[in-house]
Amino acid sequence: MIVVGVGVGFLFALLVLVISVVSFPLLLDRDVSIGAAVSTSVRAVIVNPIPIAVWGLIVAGGLVVGSIPLLLGLIIVMPVLGHATWHLYRKVVPS
């Protein structure tokens, strides 16, 4: 049961990464619909699967490390990840 639970959790995390890695910054930057933002994010993941997978591991690792000291590390980790996500979006999606 643990293996199935971890597997299902991984699939949910992968789904969230695929639909949101570019869509949130895109929605903040441009006047586009949610559907267009999500489809842009999915296309970005299809074109760049390895860098996006590495980015997902960096985010997961950063959140784990930030959570260890009574969640106080998230005060530093969250803004750094947000800023880095913005730069990832600007590299992946052309102007």
Side-chain angles (χ1 to χ4, degrees):
M1 277 180 89
I2 291 173
V3 172
V4 172
V6 169
V8 170
F10 173 77
L11 291 177
F12 277 125
L14 185 63
L15 176 67
V16 169
L17 177 68
V18 167
I19 65 173
S20 68
V21 70
V22 171
S23 62
F24 284 124
L26 181 61
L27 286 169
L28 291 172
D29 188 36
R30 301 181 190 167
D31 187 24
V32 296
S33 68
I34 293 174
V38 169
S39 66
T40 302
S41 185
V42 170
R43 280 193 313 257
V45 171
I46 290 170
V47 172
N48 305 298
I50 301 300
I52 299 296
V54 170
W55 177 243
L57 291 173
I58 290 169
V59 169
L63 292 175
V64 168
V65 168
S67 298
I68 291 173
L70 299 173
L71 302 177
L72 292 175
L74 294 177
I75 295 170
I76 295 170
V77 170
M78 292 300 287
V80 169
L81 289 177
H83 185 73
T85 299
W86 180 259
H87 284 284
L88 173 77
Y89 155 72
R90 298 297 285 170
K91 292 271 187 191
V92 171
V93 178
S95 298

